Amino acid sequence: MVKKNMDRQRIFAPRQFLQSIFALSVFFVLAGCGQKLDLDVSAKMDGQAAPQAHVIVDGKDIGATDAQGHFTKSIRKKAGAQVDLQVAKEAPGYRIEPWKTSFIVKLPKDGQVDKYNFDADLHATRFVTLTVTEKGKPVAGAVVRAWGKEVGQTDDAGQFQYQYKMLPAKGADLTVSKSGYSTWQKTGELEPGAQLQVTLSREAIVGLSALTDSYGRVSGVSGISVSVNGRNVGHTDARGNLTYRYGGEPGRKVQFVLSAPDYVPATSKVTIRLEGNQGIQRYFYPLNPKPIRIAVFRFAGNTPNVDLKAIGEEAESDVARQFARYPVFSAVPSTELQSQMERSRITLKRITTRGWRGTSLERSVDVVVVGSVAKEDNGYIVEAKFYNINGKLMLSEVSHARKSDDINSAAREIVASAIEHFPFEGNVVASDGNRYRINIGRPYRVSWGTELELTRPVVSAAGKLEGFRRVGDLKVKRSSSDGSWAEVEGPTKGEKVALGDRVVRQVGSEGGREKASSYFVLLAKGGVSPDLAPLAGVNVYLNDNWSGTTDANGKAQVPVRIGKRYKMLLYREGYQDINERIRIEKNQELKQFALKVNNALFKVDSKPSGATVFIYGQEVGKTPILAGTLVNLGFHTVRLSLGGDYRDWQKVVEFDKKVEDRTGDASIVLHKDYLKIGNEAMSKGDVDGAIRAYSSAKTGHPDYSQCHERLAQIYLDDKKDYDSAIREFQDVLSLPENSQLIHKQYAVTFTNLGHAYYEKGNQLVESDPTSAAQYFAKAVQALQTARENTRFFPDDQYDEAVHDTYYYLALSYDKLYLVTRKPGIKNSADLAWRNYFDFFPKKLEGNPVYEQARAAARQYWAQIKQN
């Protein structure tokens, strides 16, 4: 048996051997040509799909990605082999670093085809080439800066290649400068690979700025006369600026004289060498101070379950009316304040913490008053808080009314007390021996014995006002309606009083009115027991005189006289006030108080629902919030954000009752964000899509004015449809808040309307000269309005708007003269061209578009002189 099996093995062994040989041969054949695998590559550059990126395997280009940056292909590679994969792309104006990786081919499983997926992130650097010349000759060693930082210098051929990754939203900010030459600047978009021709000249440029400061705000002084070596060269513009150009031999020494007869100093002199770009800043102070622009926000109700809306509205209007009685103040309508806050997205919290410096509101308001009213046992409490441009609480006043008919009397008391204790600012405007004339007098409640703090501005090397340092004190000896005379009181740190030094009227410390050397420490906590926390912003009143405000730790040092009894009021919006009589027995004694919170229940829904709700920037949930969320009484900024194509809703809401219900019919309606949709369409070059979007904003839409302003601009610039452009600009200006410049930013709309009128007139010159003249006359009228209000132009387009205002005004006068041939219009055209060159914005120098316009203007001006 064993033998049989052995024989059988001998018989079958050759067959098994042959089968094994066959299997091995198949394996080697397959291994020779490699196994099949699927290669899948997704290429991106700067987060976007990268089409036409070449896929290279082991040094061989096997294809390119499609329009979506995707590439798929089956290849054969031996199992265990290392495969080098590379993705490379070329594009004009880009240097793109190839993406590289490698992988090992795995053995297949059960005959399956393995798939290898790769995400290739290409890193790209863009570049533009600057060629710098002066009179056609290359300028070597010119310094190139991007956003103020040096990035390189031009070579012997006058060239420099600027490389960058991505530009910020505002675009590029490139400057080219060299000592002894004018500076060239380029802002906005950059096209990768662009060849930028930079022309420098040996023209010296001096930028002069005449400035003033008042209540924390620095602003330009217009109309200051400027002369160079005795020759008048012009006046400062609406922002206090003037640009002087000198094309002679560099290094000449000249004296600039800035003359301001209604200011201190009356003249300011500076001697410099004319070479390259230089800046001169000088501060001037009015002999007669301008009224303080004060705006009353609103008065909130501060007692739960009591309807104080009518009381608050009466207090608001009465306080504003009382301020209007005093010439030292200029009342800004509450509606104008609230409208500007809403359009500029300035919250009340910002007004009362960080202030509004650097915003559009800075141009029209110096002081904001925020108030509240509360019900007490025997009447009402009325409080008004005064904030300056930096968000600092300058002053707080409180008064009482027995009944609603007495609110007017309470408002009158608040304003009268504020006038008596307001920290009015003035300046030293003259001297006579040891006496100094101050430009504030009796209307500012400055009289014999008034103490003035003497301060001096601290100005950086760049001319920026960095603050004030105290020099000493003055005491008033004589006062009149137009000023006062004062003498030095106490040390002046070895410094002499100088013209232009600032003075601030001082008040005592106890109760905000009297001087005291002793104090007690007040600690205020708020909330619901036992969850009490230090409470900031609690105003402390002693005998109804403001004595201080608690800090972030809930503490305040309150000046008092030891042993004296006081009627104390602790007051803060959103909390119940505390009325007590106190007497402090020892200096620095600690007293603690707890204020109960006054809450409202906020119920809110939106159409559509699902919007995220924010109160003062803190998320509280998504609509619908039907159960409600607790909110302190008072004014709070509420924002609803749905995202997508919907516009955020943001308003200051007064919480003044037990339940604030914004559900059902009172639900908040969210509008489509046609402004964003239109902007996105324009960024993609879809002009017709942008027109559809902007046109969809109907009257009453929050962005109606902005949408139709941009719609008009498309008709003007892209479609050359001047009739439609005029119609849309007129629609925007037909709204009273725009035409009356309550919304200051629409001052530039007059420039755009004037431009559209000019283009329409130019279109009709040959076919209908009479109608053309009418359009040119309308252009002049609109552009003159714009010129008178350039100070209100938006900051991000100020220089371009100023240029276009003066340019199209001169062009309109020019064409109007050519059509009518009236001598008076010729004189106006000549003056308009002169003003155009005088007020050509410094920042636009070197910009090819505007330099081309300036070159054309020179030809127009020469022609008008010859005709």
Side-chain angles (χ1 to χ4, degrees), residues 426-443:
N427 297 93
V428 177
V429 296
S431 62
D432 183 10
N434 63 346
R435 288 197 168 195
Y436 302 94
R437 183 160 180 79
I438 312 301
N439 60 356
I440 55 175
R442 289 176 187 166

Side-chain angles (χ1 to χ4, degrees), residues 659-727:
V659 178
E660 180 68 29
D661 194 345
R662 295 293 182 97
T663 63
D665 292 340
S667 295
I668 294 169
V669 177
L670 301 176
H671 295 273
K672 281 287 188 71
D673 197 343
Y674 295 119
L675 191 61
K676 184 185 79 170
I677 297 170
N679 292 348
E680 289 176 350
M682 282 300 293
S683 68
K684 297 174 183 176
D686 183 5
V687 175
D688 292 332
I691 290 176
R692 287 192 297 274
Y694 295 141
S695 300
S696 298
K698 305 303 181 185
T699 305
H701 189 281
D703 294 325
Y704 175 84
S705 294
Q706 287 178 281
C707 283
H708 286 265
E709 170 88 5
R710 297 191 185 186
L711 178 61
Q713 206 69 50
I714 291 174
Y715 283 133
L716 177 61
D717 297 333
D718 297 274
K719 294 295 188 179
K720 311 300 180 186
D721 182 351
Y722 306 124
D723 291 317
S724 294
I726 291 169
R727 181 188 68 247

Side-chain angles (χ1 to χ4, degrees), residues 111-303:
Q112 295 180 356
V113 177
D114 284 342
K115 191 172 185 178
Y116 293 79
N117 299 301
F118 298 96
D119 291 324
D121 190 6
L122 299 173
H123 295 282
T125 301
R126 298 155 175 79
F127 67 88
V128 293
T129 303
L130 296 91
T131 301
V132 183
T133 60
E134 190 261 333
K135 293 183 178 180
K137 296 180 180 179
V139 178
V143 176
V144 181
R145 291 183 173 85
W147 297 281
K149 182 179 180 180
E150 183 176 340
V151 292
Q153 297 185 10
T154 55
D155 58 19
D156 291 340
Q159 291 190 337
F160 174 78
Q161 199 170 80
Y162 170 58
Q163 300 181 23
Y164 59 98
K165 290 284 187 182
M166 293 284 286
L167 293 177
K170 290 186 177 180
D173 182 5
L174 294 177
T175 58
V176 179
S177 61
K178 186 174 182 178
S179 179
Y181 291 83
S182 61
T183 296
W184 174 92
Q185 184 176 31
K186 165 70 176 177
T187 58
E189 291 296 321
L190 284 181
E191 186 68 29
Q195 300 284 330
L196 301 180
Q197 302 298 322
V198 179
T199 302
L200 300 183
S201 68
R202 292 186 179 273
E203 178 182 51
I205 299 175
V206 180
L208 297 102
S209 296
L211 305 170
T212 190
D213 67 88
S214 176
Y215 299 95
R217 175 178 180 260
V218 175
S219 57
V221 180
S222 62
I224 301 295
S225 176
V226 181
S227 65
V228 179
N229 286 351
R231 182 176 67 86
N232 185 272
V233 295
H235 295 77
T236 55
D237 62 15
R239 290 198 167 186
N241 298 325
L242 180 141
T243 300
Y244 174 74
R245 297 174 179 82
Y246 170 72
E249 189 65 26
R252 182 187 176 195
K253 199 173 185 180
V254 298
Q255 184 184 65
F256 284 86
V257 178
L258 287 75
S259 301
D262 295 328
Y263 290 82
V264 172
T267 58
S268 180
K269 301 177 181 180
V270 59
T271 300
I272 64 171
R273 292 187 181 276
L274 295 174
E275 188 174 30
N277 287 7
Q278 298 182 68
I280 298 174
Q281 289 190 342
R282 290 294 182 270
Y283 281 82
F284 296 85
Y285 300 94
L287 293 175
N288 299 303
K290 294 181 179 179
I292 302 163
R293 302 167 304 174
I294 191 167
V296 179
F297 180 69
R298 290 164 67 186
F299 278 67
N302 195 37
T303 302

Side-chain angles (χ1 to χ4, degrees), residues 454 470-473 488-495:
L454 184 69
R470 183 167 183 165
V471 176
D473 297 289
V488 173
E489 181 81 6
T492 57
K493 299 182 180 180
E495 298 180 86

